[in-house]
């Protein structure tokens, strides 16, 4: 499978704050897929779901699916994000102010 970064696709090494911001931006715009490279798929899937539940408001999990995939022989987690219906989504720690809301451009 040939997957490249673009407007609706992004790659991250881990589920960090940058990855959370990417998910928020996808939900606030047209949706997209975040791929996370992993060593332990099951543990990371749980971590991704927990991080999104705790870090993003309003609840974004209804717009997200977290699934294991293989790209170029490597295990990755695909975080498929649909366009949110309760926009704007934002970092829970910052609130719905400009510094907490992200969009994809």
């Amino acid at each position: 499978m040939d997957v490249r970064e673009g407007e609706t696709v992004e790659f991250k090494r881990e589920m960090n704050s940058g990855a959370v911001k990417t998910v928020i931006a996808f939900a606030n715009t047209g949706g997209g897929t975040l791929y996370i490279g992993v060593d332990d798929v099951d543990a990371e899937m749980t971590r991704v779901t927990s991080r999104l539940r705790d870090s993003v408001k309003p609840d974004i999990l209804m717009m997200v699916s977290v699934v294991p995939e293989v790209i170029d022989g490597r295990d990755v987690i695909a975080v498929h994000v649909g366009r949110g219906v309760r926009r704007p989504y934002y970092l829970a720690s910052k609130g719905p102010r400009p510094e907490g809301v992200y969009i994809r451009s």
Side-chain angles (χ1 to χ4, degrees):
M1 177 183 347
D2 185 29
V3 180
R4 299 171 196 257
E5 279 196 338
E7 187 176 325
T8 61
V9 175
E10 190 161 323
F11 292 91
K12 296 285 186 190
R13 291 186 194 277
E14 61 186 19
M15 189 62 188
N16 55 24
S17 61
V20 172
K21 292 173 185 177
T22 296
V23 170
I24 290 171
F26 282 151
N28 283 332
T29 51
T33 302
L34 170 66
Y35 291 98
I36 303 170
V38 296
D39 293 323
D40 184 345
V41 171
D42 292 332
E44 189 66 14
M45 285 178 58
T46 300
R47 196 169 93 91
V48 167
T49 302
S50 295
R51 181 95 186 244
L52 292 175
R53 183 187 60 244
D54 296 342
S55 300
V56 181
K57 299 296 179 207
D59 184 6
I60 199 169
L61 293 181
M62 295 296 291
M63 308 309 305
V64 173
S65 70
V66 180
V67 295
E69 291 186 14
V70 176
I71 297 179
D72 296 331
R74 294 187 169 158
D75 290 330
V76 298
I77 293 173
V79 182
H80 300 287
V81 184
R83 184 170 195 256
V85 295
R86 296 175 60 200
R87 294 181 311 274
Y89 294 89
Y90 53 88
L91 287 173
S93 62
K94 302 226 182 239
R97 301 185 314 261
E99 59 270 15
V101 177
Y102 300 90
I103 59 170
R104 196 83 173 161
S105 59

